[in-house]
Amino acid sequence: MEQFSGKVWLLGDDIDTDIIIPTEYLALKTVEDMKPFAFSPLRPELAGQIKEGDIIVAGKNFGCGSSREQAPEVIKALGVKCVIAKSYARIFFRNSINNGLLLIENPDLYDVAAEGETIDVTVGRSITCQGKEYPISSLPENLLDILNAGGLVKAMRKLNGLD
């Protein structure tokens, strides 16, 4: 069971894919080129402040909007360990898993977490914030396999003996 800690970045409700990576930056050649512009309509400084292992905590309907795969790709490229939100847009949830970005649903954490604090996550078990444990559901084994492999393509290559 994976355990990790990370610094919290708080975002609100209805963070859509145009906020995560605005349309005008999709023409850039790589996700690495897009990274500096992540979340720029909401918080232009945020992409430069996020560090490897940080955690985004958000409200409801995270990832709504278009089905662009660059949204979870750019979050992962920033080094975000996971996103914890009250709820997710369905296509964003699946795109995130397929790209190896861990998403956790929790109805309570957003209302108690403070930006900048460190929280502890035990995947499939709980989140510890300010000394209190918040239970989380476990993901199905097949989704964990995809996440652990780093994404769907890598998982399928491994499954088929190509890597």
Side-chain angles (χ1 to χ4, degrees):
M1 195 164 310
E2 185 182 10
Q3 295 180 311
F4 56 87
S5 299
K7 177 181 174 180
V8 169
W9 293 98
L10 276 183
L11 301 177
D13 291 334
D14 303 312
I15 301 298
D16 67 26
T17 54
D18 286 322
I19 289 173
I20 296 169
I21 185 64
T23 305
E24 61 265 30
Y25 303 112
L26 296 178
L28 296 173
K29 287 189 175 199
T30 69
V31 173
E32 285 297 312
D33 295 334
M34 296 176 201
K35 275 178 20 178
F37 307 104
F39 303 104
S40 59
L42 183 66
R43 294 173 63 180
E45 75 291 346
L46 185 60
Q49 295 174 333
I50 291 175
K51 303 288 186 237
E52 187 77 30
D54 286 353
I55 298 171
I56 292 173
V57 176
K60 63 181 175 26
N61 203 26
F62 190 89
C64 56
S66 76
S67 61
R68 67 182 65 149
E69 286 196 38
Q70 295 93 335
E73 287 175 341
V74 79
I75 293 171
K76 187 175 176 188
L78 286 169
V80 171
K81 183 67 175 173
C82 74
V83 179
I84 303 169
K86 288 186 177 190
S87 64
Y88 295 94
R90 190 173 139 256
I91 190 77
F92 179 83
F93 185 89
R94 192 57 210 214
N95 281 341
S96 295
I97 299 297
N98 288 349
N99 283 288
L101 176 63
L102 174 62
L103 301 184
I104 297 172
E105 278 191 358
N106 181 275
D108 304 314
L109 188 67
Y110 176 73
D111 297 321
V112 296
E115 185 158 290
E117 76 176 304
T118 298
I119 60 173
D120 302 312
V121 176
T122 303
V123 177
R125 182 172 292 157
S126 66
I127 302 161
T128 304
C129 176
Q130 300 169 7
K132 184 175 178 193
E133 275 198 13
Y134 297 86
I136 54 176
S137 299
S138 59
L139 290 170
E141 198 64 38
N142 64 324
L143 296 186
L144 287 174
D145 290 343
I146 292 169
L147 286 166
N148 290 334
L152 182 61
V153 171
K154 291 177 182 177
M156 291 301 100
R157 289 186 62 81
K158 182 178 175 185
L159 182 69
N160 291 305
L162 299 172
D163 286 336

